[in-house]
Amino acid sequence: MNIIQIQRPIKIGNRLQATIAINGIEKVANFDVDSTYAEYLDDEVCDAFLINLLLFAMGNGYDIKCDAPVSAELLFNLRTYFLPILNKETSGKAHLVNIEANPLVRETHAIAVGTGVSGGIDSSDAIMENLRASAKIPNMKLTHLLVVTPTSKRVAFYRPHSQEALLQRAEKISTCLNLPLIKISHNLADISDICDERYHPFYNLSCVFALGKQFKTYFYASAYTMDHFSIKNGFNSDADYMNMFMLPMLSTPNLRFYLAGLPRSRLEKTRAIANEKWVQENLSVCTNDFIGKKCGFSTCNANKCKRTMWDLEICGALDKFSKMFDADDFRKNHKQAIAWLYNKAKHGDNFAQESWNTAKAKNIITKQDLFSLALRNAGLKFILMFIPVSKWRKRIRSKFYLS
């Protein structure tokens, strides 16, 4: 039988840590915060470490034994609903994890209301949604921002060179909004030795649980709308697809999660934040090496940048984001930009499909543009007929965004 044993968490200075044995092989998982927030690290329960290991255990056939208690409501939800439903919805692919732990009923007396801050579209929209909606409901208003940085070298989708820039950006946003910033780092990817973006939400949620004596309410930024909800896709490809199901399952009387931005698409979120000065000054979506540099359509190959440039152009706000994007380069390469968006939309990118349809409806992509695109693609396909080498055909298709 495959067993993961989570030993009792301990606090050492500003660190919360627990030794985790996977089939007898021990590793130490840890969370680190500034000294100001060390007292809020929760060493009474295994919650933070258990949440981190759920997806790994489900995907690899492990059961979990916890030496310390688990919050009673969380343990009940996991055993009764979350794990059985994932097992059923994935036709048994998600292992029905047996969690051996004692339940703990308690009050943490936490009072903080938080959300994550990254400077991206989803994060910025979650902040603005709260600030607008909580104007008449003060007890739901944000009191803190949380920035999460991984220390693991194994997580490929986190770029170590950008972590300092992320912290600087979070500090600027914190200052602009006059909200305290909590910095927390973790090495959670080192425990399972898996570099997989599916784990990203579990890492972030584990950090919130690690600060279980700080937060009573947490707004987690949605990546997708309700139309994209899928437990099966959430398990197989990106856990964000099942957040609408997962967050209520992880909520307890002491810590309540809300899925911020759920009613709005990515384009609608962009429109909702485009006129905010602090967003214009601090927006960052690039996944490449353009830290501190402008991203242009021809100079940056990050899909998130290209998509965001399109959305800002559709909203009439691209010029307001001159610190991040080169609007002149985007418009200079208008035909290439249209070809890229068309190609993404045609191949099922939901974000691109909305942008493509909206750009046509607003006449940003004109009938003449569509005619030129059709001629361009027809000409390129004709040329490809005379190129015998497969790898060169692939390169041409990639370079010219040819479907």
Side-chain angles (χ1 to χ4, degrees):
M1 183 182 295
N2 293 323
I3 294 290
I4 299 173
Q5 183 176 5
I6 305 174
Q7 296 183 15
R8 183 173 291 274
I10 58 174
K11 282 200 290 189
I12 303 176
N14 303 340
R15 170 171 290 186
L16 176 68
Q17 68 178 49
T19 299
I20 296 174
I22 302 179
N23 282 346
I25 300 175
E26 293 187 349
K27 296 181 180 181
V28 178
N30 57 64
F31 302 90
D32 292 282
V33 296
D34 294 336
S35 57
T36 305
Y37 297 99
E39 65 179 292
Y40 301 107
L41 292 170
D42 194 354
D43 60 350
E44 294 181 16
V45 290
C46 278
D47 296 5
F49 301 96
L50 174 61
I51 295 302
N52 168 54
L53 291 164
L54 281 177
L55 192 62
F56 173 76
M58 286 187 286
N60 295 278
Y62 284 91
D63 293 329
I64 301 176
K65 179 180 179 181
C66 301
D67 290 352
V70 174
S71 294
E73 296 83 0
L74 176 63
L75 187 59
F76 177 84
N77 286 345
L78 292 176
R79 284 175 173 172
T80 310
Y81 302 112
F82 184 73
L83 295 170
I85 289 174
L86 258 78
N87 175 262
K88 183 177 181 179
E89 289 295 313
T90 60
S91 302
K93 186 176 179 181
H95 170 60
L96 184 56
V97 180
N98 177 54
I99 302 174
E100 183 181 336
N102 292 321
L104 179 65
V105 178
R106 60 172 183 159
E107 289 186 29
T108 61
H109 303 290
I111 61 173
V113 179
T115 192
V117 57
S118 67
I121 296 293
D122 294 332
S123 167
S124 301
D125 175 74
I127 293 171
M128 284 309 308
E129 176 189 75
N130 177 274
L131 295 180
R132 289 165 179 155
S134 65
K136 296 182 180 180
I137 311 175
N139 68 316
M140 298 297 285
K141 187 175 182 179
L142 289 174
T143 62
H144 292 77
L145 300 176
L146 180 69
V147 60
V148 177
T149 54
T151 58
S152 172
K153 295 180 180 179
R154 291 181 173 86
V155 186
F157 60 91
Y158 288 119
R159 298 180 179 271
H161 64 267
S162 68
Q163 296 306 300
E164 184 178 351
L166 169 62
L167 290 172
Q168 291 175 356
R169 188 163 60 250
E171 288 171 351
K172 289 180 181 177
I173 294 173
S174 169
T175 300
C176 288
L177 299 176
N178 195 28
L179 287 170
L181 178 67
I182 304 175
K183 304 172 187 175
I184 186 167
S185 60
H186 66 80
N187 72 333
L188 299 178
D190 288 334
I191 307 307
S192 60
D193 284 336
I194 294 179
C195 300
D196 192 332
E197 196 163 357
R198 289 185 306 157
Y199 288 71
H200 178 72
F202 287 89
Y203 294 154
N204 286 341
L205 291 169
S206 294
C207 290
V208 181
F209 276 100
L211 288 161
K213 295 181 180 180
Q214 170 76 15
F215 291 114
K216 71 165 184 178
T217 305
Y218 194 85
F219 292 89
Y220 191 91
S222 63
Y224 305 102
T225 61
M226 293 177 287
D227 295 339
H228 301 131
F229 170 73
S230 170
I231 291 177
K232 187 178 292 186
N233 289 341
F235 178 76
N236 291 328
S237 61
D238 185 347
D240 278 325
Y241 282 114
M242 62 178 177
N243 277 340
M244 192 165 62
F245 161 71
M246 184 166 68
L247 294 187
M249 291 292 98
L250 300 184
S251 293
T252 73
N254 291 309
L255 176 57
R256 178 71 181 271
F257 288 101
Y258 291 89
L259 192 54
L262 184 62
R264 291 180 296 285
S265 67
R266 186 65 57 81
L267 178 58
E268 289 169 336
K269 290 176 182 179
T270 304
R271 186 178 293 113
I273 62 175
N275 291 319
E276 298 295 330
K277 188 68 175 178
W278 68 269
V279 179
Q280 296 167 7
E281 294 289 324
N282 297 288
L283 182 71
S284 179
V285 299
C286 191
T287 55
N288 288 340
D289 298 327
F290 278 72
I291 306 301
K293 302 177 183 177
K294 284 188 179 184
C295 294
F297 192 89
S298 66
T299 58
C300 178
N301 62 5
N303 285 329
K304 287 182 72 173
C305 285
K306 294 179 187 295
R307 185 179 67 219
T308 305
M309 280 187 270
W310 260 116
D311 287 350
L312 288 170
E313 182 76 341
I314 290 169
C315 296
L318 182 58
D319 292 305
K320 297 177 182 179
F321 289 80
S322 57
K323 283 193 173 183
M324 176 69 190
F325 298 117
D326 187 339
D328 291 337
D329 182 80
F330 176 82
R331 290 164 187 149
K332 181 180 178 181
N333 293 277
H334 185 60
K335 291 183 178 180
Q336 283 287 84
I338 291 174
W340 175 87
L341 187 62
Y342 171 76
N343 187 47
K344 288 293 179 183
K346 185 176 180 180
H347 285 86
D349 185 318
N350 293 308
F351 300 131
Q353 286 172 351
E354 182 185 20
S355 300
W356 173 260
N357 291 333
T358 306
K360 287 195 298 178
K362 296 185 71 171
N363 210 36
I364 295 171
I365 296 176
T366 65
K367 290 182 179 179
Q368 183 177 346
D369 290 328
L370 294 174
F371 182 69
S372 297
L373 176 66
L375 287 178
R376 169 191 179 277
N377 288 350
L380 286 170
K381 288 178 180 178
F382 180 76
I383 292 171
L384 287 175
M385 292 172 58
F386 299 95
I387 299 178
V389 182
S390 177
K391 67 177 183 180
W392 285 107
R393 289 201 299 268
K394 289 180 180 178
R395 288 181 183 179
I396 291 172
R397 285 183 179 276
S398 175
K399 180 176 176 60
F400 292 98
Y401 311 115
L402 187 62
S403 301

